[in-house]
Amino acid sequence: MGALKSIKGTRDVLPWESYQWQAVEKLCRELFGSYFYQEIRTPVFEKTELFARGIGEFSDIVSKEMYSFQDKGGEWLTLRPEYTASVIRSYIQHHFEQQSALHKIWYAGPLFRQERPQAGRQRQFHQFGIELIGSEFPEADAEVITLACEFYKKTGLKEWELHINSIGNIHDRQTYIEHLRKILKPHIESLCPLCQQRFDNNTLRLFDCKNSECQAVLDLHAPNILDFLSKEDKEHFEQVCDLLTYQGIPYVINPKLVRGLDYYTRTTFEIKGKTLGAQDALCGGGRYDNLVSELGGKPTPSVGFAAGIERLLIALENETISFGDYACPDLYVASMDLNSYSGFLKTWNELRSMGFIIETDLQRRSLKAMMRDAHKKNARFVAVIGSDELKSGTFILKQLDTGAEIKADPVSIKDILKKGSL
RNA sequence: GUGGACGUAGCUCAGUUGGCAGAGCGCUUGGUUGUGGCCCAAGUGGUCGUGGGUUCAAGUCCCAUCGUUCACCCCA
């Protein structure tokens, strides 16, 4: 087809689907708002340098997945591939720390990565998430994780699992990696070709390999990262776990959980959707105590998560959970002619300003066609108006689910709509 | 970037060893004056992704190309 189409890896949220997206945003406002998080909205594009510094120049995201371009002034800009860097940039730029030592922020919006699309992955995708900036304590980690879990609970989703881990501070992590290399070196031949590559430049990613032989080697020989944590980090991790246990939040300690972004320290976590395909991370996050200072701010311990909206909607669909309310007309106005249409216009507008949804026919269709249309749109009531009704100042009001009909007028209609039935 | 699968009506899909392009759903209009849902009838609908090739003849066979999709890499 030569017709214009949306770009590969992008999708329209169609008029009859958008209610779900509105419900996601509403739940963000209500749930995060109830913990006194406030929404931030940052630009969808930033200087390329921000992401290069924030995410790590050699990460996959920065090295091959960013939508970057030069503007007319020759400056390199990038469509954001990730939220945290932008939020921290704004935090530093506007001197949030001058207002208070702690900030709790949520966001929702589109992100862009030039990858090959597949199930649960698009080039423009959407995330919501939170950043808790300014606390080093396990209460902060636990609150962030709790909020992620609460969100999924409130949607009604059942088939998911929380995995948590601690990867310690950068120093201990480095010792662990060196140790891991030393121990695995004799077994490098039995790893898959890809893992042999990963062995040198991305050792921790070995744990992500889906090859069962590689996993067997790791299970047999690899030391547990948790055994390499410093006393403080270990204690921190245990306290986070305890806080989750106190709240009755089930979790799996997964020492193999290594997240892809370079900036994580200590706590990392992921919520895996059990009904999803290869891309099964509903939500991922963790602590990033060094990012603020790396981007030029004062050292500020922080923790947050990001969750994929498309993946959430897929998971809900897989469990046949309906999420959000599809709006239907409270009243469908079926007028027989132009005079009937204009006769009660003020009444309909008044009802609309009271908050009712009033649909009218604009195609001068037959009564039969209008009744069909009202039924298709799942309207609660239909008002039928012809010349007789116009003369008497009343109209016929029909309740579609029962089929009952009465005469109504501009005054009585208000109470009937409020009551919802005849 | 690599590999597999698939492109026929708005949607879901049939289409035989090459021989006039189909169904269901949807949409529109009717089934006695101004009444929906069920039912019935009619109507609407397609450059068979695109471009070449083989053939008397291609939706069907061959090549190329584009698109979609799933998986890898990686991540939400």
Side-chain angles (χ1 to χ4, degrees):
Chain A
M1 276 186 236
L4 267 53
K5 292 178 63 178
S6 58
I7 291 167
K8 182 202 285 284
T10 69
R11 229 185 67 103
D12 298 314
V13 177
L14 299 169
W16 46 90
E17 300 171 337
S18 56
Y19 74 97
Q20 297 179 317
W21 289 71
Q22 290 164 0
V24 170
E25 287 157 15
K26 182 164 174 257
L27 185 49
C28 286
R29 261 196 305 283
E30 290 176 358
L31 176 62
F32 303 147
S34 75
Y35 281 69
F36 201 53
Y37 283 66
Q38 292 171 308
E39 184 182 2
I40 193 169
R41 302 192 187 196
T42 65
V44 291
F45 62 119
E46 301 267 4
K47 290 186 186 173
T48 300
E49 186 196 351
L50 172 66
F51 302 114
R53 282 172 57 189
I55 304 169
E57 229 170 312
F58 302 107
S59 66
D60 280 45
I61 291 180
V62 174
S63 62
K64 57 185 199 195
E65 293 170 3
M66 294 207 299
Y67 276 104
S68 298
F69 59 95
Q70 266 179 305
D71 72 4
K72 287 182 179 159
E75 184 149 49
W76 278 102
L77 306 176
T78 294
L79 265 36
R80 65 178 173 215
E82 201 258 348
Y83 249 110
T84 305
S86 296
V87 174
I88 298 306
R89 191 228 75 228
S90 178
Y91 175 92
I92 296 168
Q93 178 179 341
H94 299 289
H95 305 287
F96 284 29
E97 80 285 352
Q98 297 294 316
Q99 298 192 22
S100 90
L102 186 82
H103 283 270
K104 304 199 288 186
I105 297 165
W106 73 271
Y107 58 78
L111 302 169
F112 307 85
R113 288 181 206 168
Q114 187 159 5
E115 300 176 271
R116 201 74 163 264
Q118 72 185 75
R121 174 192 287 158
Q122 292 173 250
R123 291 184 167 184
Q124 177 176 344
F125 61 105
H126 299 77
Q127 290 183 342
F128 63 86
I130 64 180
E131 311 292 354
L132 199 171
I133 307 168
S135 171
E136 61 178 317
F137 298 111
E139 296 90 306
D141 308 56
E143 177 168 300
V144 166
I145 297 172
T146 302
L147 271 167
C149 295
E150 276 300 304
F151 192 99
Y152 292 106
K153 275 188 206 162
K154 298 230 182 224
T155 62
L157 202 68
K158 297 247 170 357
E159 301 297 318
W160 53 272
E161 203 168 59
L162 168 64
H163 289 231
I164 64 174
N165 189 23
S166 176
I167 56 173
N169 59 52
I170 291 178
H171 185 74
D172 294 342
R173 184 153 73 240
Q174 207 46 50
T175 337
Y176 173 74
I177 290 172
E178 280 161 21
H179 194 78
L180 185 63
R181 283 213 191 103
K182 210 177 290 173
I183 285 187
L184 289 182
K185 194 118 202 182
H187 307 98
I188 195 165
E189 292 298 321
S190 42
L191 297 174
C192 70
L194 209 78
C195 278
Q196 297 191 17
Q197 279 179 27
R198 281 194 271 228
F199 185 85
D200 289 319
N201 49 28
N202 215 347
T203 319
L204 285 181
R205 297 243 128 247
L206 291 173
F207 288 117
D208 271 351
C209 185
K210 282 157 188 158
N211 184 316
S212 58
E213 287 175 34
C214 296
Q215 286 306 314
V217 172
L218 290 172
D219 286 340
L220 206 60
H221 305 287
N224 189 328
I225 193 168
L226 293 173
D227 296 332
F228 283 73
L229 297 186
S230 69
K231 203 172 163 189
E232 296 77 31
D233 288 350
K234 195 176 255 177
E235 198 174 283
H236 180 95
F237 184 58
E238 280 164 6
Q239 286 168 344
V240 172
C241 293
D242 287 346
L243 284 164
L244 295 176
T245 307
Y246 291 154
Q247 298 178 84
I249 296 171
Y251 55 88
V252 178
I253 293 179
N254 181 354
K256 293 182 182 176
L257 177 66
V258 226
R259 302 203 43 76
L261 303 175
D262 290 353
Y263 51 64
Y264 285 114
T265 53
R266 295 183 149 188
T267 313
T268 60
F269 71 98
E270 191 167 308
I271 291 177
K272 292 178 189 289
K274 295 189 199 170
T275 65
L276 265 30
Q279 310 305 322
D280 67 346
L282 279 168
C283 159
R287 178 166 278 286
Y288 49 94
D289 288 343
N290 303 318
L291 183 60
V292 178
S293 57
E294 270 163 30
L295 289 178
K298 292 179 189 156
T300 311
S302 306
V303 52
F305 75 77
I309 297 181
E310 284 86 353
R311 288 185 191 177
L312 167 65
L313 296 179
I314 292 169
L316 287 165
E317 171 88 39
N318 290 346
E319 293 188 40
T320 58
I321 294 168
S322 64
F323 186 61
D325 298 314
Y326 191 90
C328 300
D330 296 297
L331 177 68
Y332 187 104
V333 178
S335 310
M336 305 304 297
D337 50 50
L338 179 56
N339 286 337
S340 311
Y341 173 81
S342 55
F344 290 95
L345 265 182
K346 280 186 181 170
T347 304
W348 314 140
N349 289 340
E350 219 176 301
L351 289 168
R352 286 174 177 130
S353 66
M354 290 169 69
F356 295 110
I357 301 172
I358 314 295
E359 167 75 322
T360 59
D361 172 77
L362 298 172
Q363 297 175 92
R364 300 192 180 179
R365 306 211 286 174
S366 70
L367 182 58
K368 185 191 187 98
M370 290 190 286
M371 289 300 292
R372 277 186 178 155
D373 194 34
H375 180 259
K376 193 175 84 179
K377 290 170 175 162
N378 200 19
R380 185 87 186 131
F381 296 102
V382 178
V384 180
I385 304 158
S387 50
D388 294 350
E389 285 79 11
L390 198 57
K391 230 174 278 171
S392 66
T394 63
F395 45 83
I396 292 179
L397 187 68
K398 181 165 186 167
Q399 184 174 330
L400 281 189
D401 57 352
T402 62
E405 266 186 27
I406 60 161
K407 271 194 178 179
D409 59 57
V411 178
S412 65
I413 181 74
K414 291 176 188 167
D415 289 329
I416 295 169
L417 286 192
K418 271 186 214 163
K419 197 175 151 206
S421 68
L422 293 177

